[in-house]
Amino acid sequence: MRRLILSLIALALMQSVVAQVPEVNSRVCAECGGNEQRKQGGEWVQISDHKSWCPIAKKIAEAEAAAWSPDFSSIEYQYGHGVKCEECGLVQGHVSDCLIGYNQKLALKHSDHTWSDPEAYKRKINIIEERIRHAAQRAREERAQAQQQRLGGSSQQNQSTKLKDHDPMPEQKPAERLIPEMAKMPRTELPNSTT
């Protein structure tokens, strides 16, 4: 019973001590005094930036740059991986000469390496992603052009197969054209077998 009373008293004392500590409404960088943040609506909102010379700001920027990676959930990386590839038409995988598949592999290869210059890595990945977008756009345009040619060719063929657009071939003309030629042939008389 004594322990229960002592533990209740200790708990009450701790609550009163915690209640007396004021909640921090503002915080700043310990190194440069910048990066002031205030609590608004239960969340910390940044009011000012770090100073340009602040070593903490440089370390934060380096960590953010090193943590950057391509968005592998974007459409550029989904072609051939659940989304029909614009160039080769496969949903799973790519054909060996597919430009989109080649560039996807190249981006994955670059993401596996450790880059000393994060900005160079970003530029390289952006170039590769632009190549993928360009190849997909070109494939769509070529498909649309081929579709248009097929539709245009079939409409021309349909128009030219109408009877009013054709003259009959000489073999199809009536037989009276052949009669004068038959008149030029020598007559053959067959012997009469009844006499």
Side-chain angles (χ1 to χ4, degrees), residues 53-125:
W53 53 266
C54 182
I56 293 176
K58 290 178 184 173
K59 287 181 182 177
I60 291 171
E62 288 173 3
E64 286 175 354
W68 183 88
S69 66
D71 182 12
F72 290 115
S73 64
S74 67
I75 190 67
E76 288 83 9
Y77 301 101
Q78 297 302 311
Y79 292 129
H81 301 282
V83 175
K84 184 177 179 182
C85 178
E86 295 285 352
E87 189 167 342
C88 66
L90 297 178
V91 177
Q92 293 300 324
H94 296 277
V95 296
S96 61
D97 61 343
C98 179
L99 189 60
I100 292 174
Y102 170 77
N103 282 300
Q104 284 177 345
K105 287 178 187 174
L106 192 62
L108 291 171
K109 181 177 135 185
H110 284 305
S111 70
D112 289 341
H113 294 297
T114 304
W115 289 73
S116 59
D117 183 8
E119 289 302 315
Y121 173 56
K122 280 186 191 179
R123 283 192 302 275
K124 186 69 172 174
I125 293 297

Side-chain angles (χ1 to χ4, degrees), residues 17-51:
V17 169
V18 170
Q20 291 175 5
V21 175
E23 184 177 347
V24 178
N25 290 332
S26 176
R27 56 186 180 185
V28 294
C29 175
E31 191 72 33
C32 69
N35 193 37
E36 184 180 357
Q37 297 178 355
R38 293 186 190 253
K39 204 164 196 178
Q40 292 178 351
E43 293 184 21
W44 289 100
V45 179
Q46 186 169 347
I47 305 298
S48 65
D49 293 330
H50 285 277
K51 307 287 190 235

